[in-house]
Amino acid sequence: MIRLSKSVVGKAESETVAHIIEDVGYLGMGATVGEFEHQLEQYIGGDRRAICVNSGTAALHLALQAVTKPGDEVLVPSFTFVASYQAITAAGCKPVSCDIRPDTLTLDLEDAERRITPRTTAMMPVYYASNCRLEEQYQVFAREHGLRLVEDAAHSFGCTCQGR
């Protein structure tokens, strides 16, 4: 048997989930999730909204589906988790693998620029290991090339980058 990962769920988490299942009855859109979303909004700050989904893959899928149409191409780093490719294809789009920078292990913009075609409508950088140093460069690149930017920041949630 090969284990990929092991859940880290303690007694408090188990009791909370049991309470929600047994007493509240709403698993996805109940008051507990609403309270959690509100706490996330407070943590993030500003006028940003938090909407919970069942996984990071689902979040990427929905974000891509909101800004692309089937058949569009999406630039994505070749060094990423399979969820990046799953989300792109689930949205009906074609992933376009780009090289990564050896110093950051993130999407290489020079290679990405070479891969742009008339069907390229979005890019999805992945902030691997909380590395969001290129965030502003990605924003400029997307703006210059008329691309929608969907940032996979699963690795960087809660970190600080460039003083933010």
Side-chain angles (χ1 to χ4, degrees):
M1 179 174 173
I2 299 173
R3 290 190 84 150
L4 298 178
S5 65
K6 181 179 179 184
S7 295
V8 182
V9 177
K11 185 170 176 62
E13 292 88 354
S14 296
E15 289 173 355
T16 300
V17 170
H19 164 70
I20 292 169
I21 291 171
E22 295 168 7
D23 302 329
V24 177
Y26 292 100
L27 295 177
M29 297 179 63
T32 305
V33 172
E35 179 183 328
F36 180 65
E37 289 172 338
H38 178 71
Q39 290 174 2
L40 283 175
E41 290 169 358
Q42 299 301 308
Y43 177 76
I44 295 167
D47 61 353
R48 297 180 183 185
R49 291 287 319 273
I51 299 172
C52 291
V53 294
N54 71 326
S55 68
T57 308
L60 293 173
H61 174 196
L62 291 174
L64 286 163
Q65 200 164 18
V67 300
T68 62
K69 61 184 182 315
D72 287 355
E73 293 178 350
V74 179
L75 303 172
V76 62
S78 56
F79 182 66
T80 185
F81 186 61
V82 68
S84 301
Y85 290 85
Q86 289 173 328
I88 293 168
T89 57
C93 298
K94 178 184 174 191
V96 177
S97 298
C98 300
D99 288 340
I100 59 167
R101 293 171 44 135
D103 60 332
T104 63
L105 303 179
T106 58
L107 185 80
D108 183 312
L109 291 175
E110 289 180 17
D111 186 60
E113 189 164 36
R114 288 189 290 270
R115 297 179 187 277
I116 293 174
T117 74
R119 294 179 307 281
T120 308
T121 61
M123 64 182 286
M124 191 171 71
V126 177
Y127 298 138
Y128 180 76
S130 299
N131 193 343
C132 54
R133 290 184 293 174
L134 301 177
E135 178 185 27
E136 289 180 30
Q137 290 178 34
Y138 292 141
Q139 292 170 1
V140 169
F141 181 89
R143 202 169 26 255
E144 286 176 351
H145 294 283
L147 302 176
R148 299 305 298 257
L149 179 64
V150 175
E151 298 167 296
D152 182 346
H155 273 218
S156 61
F157 184 80
C159 77
T160 57
C161 188
Q162 300 176 7
R164 298 183 290 130

